[in-house]
Amino acid sequence: MDIANNSMEGDTTLEKDGLKVFLEQNANRMLSEATIDFSDEQGFLISGTQSGTQRDSCGESCCR
């Protein structure tokens, strides 16, 4: 996650109450059902992400 003033080519722009969020394609898929919140104690909190299951080089399934 980074702070940017403008979107880059291929980004999806979401806007809510004047706040704009720019998501690159993979992040947009991963965060399509997510909720992003902010806490003074913990900073940004992201819940409900869609994590994909990938196979590592030994063939075991792992979540990344």
Side-chain angles (χ1 to χ4, degrees):
M1 186 184 307
D2 198 3
I3 296 175
N5 291 323
N6 298 300
S7 65
M8 298 185 74
E9 185 176 336
D11 286 353
T12 297
T13 302
L14 306 173
E15 185 171 1
K16 175 78 174 176
D17 298 328
L19 173 68
K20 289 183 182 179
V21 177
F22 310 118
L23 297 172
E24 61 93 28
Q25 190 174 21
N26 289 330
N28 190 28
R29 278 193 293 263
M30 187 176 77
L31 298 172
S32 66
E33 300 294 325
T35 300
I36 302 174
D37 202 353
F38 183 83
S39 163
D40 287 332
E41 295 80 29
Q42 296 179 316
F44 286 101
L45 305 170
I46 302 173
S47 61
T49 61
Q50 296 182 7
S51 61
T53 300
Q54 299 180 354
R55 302 243 179 231
D56 65 18
S57 59
C58 66
E60 295 294 321
S61 178
C62 60
C63 199
R64 298 180 196 216

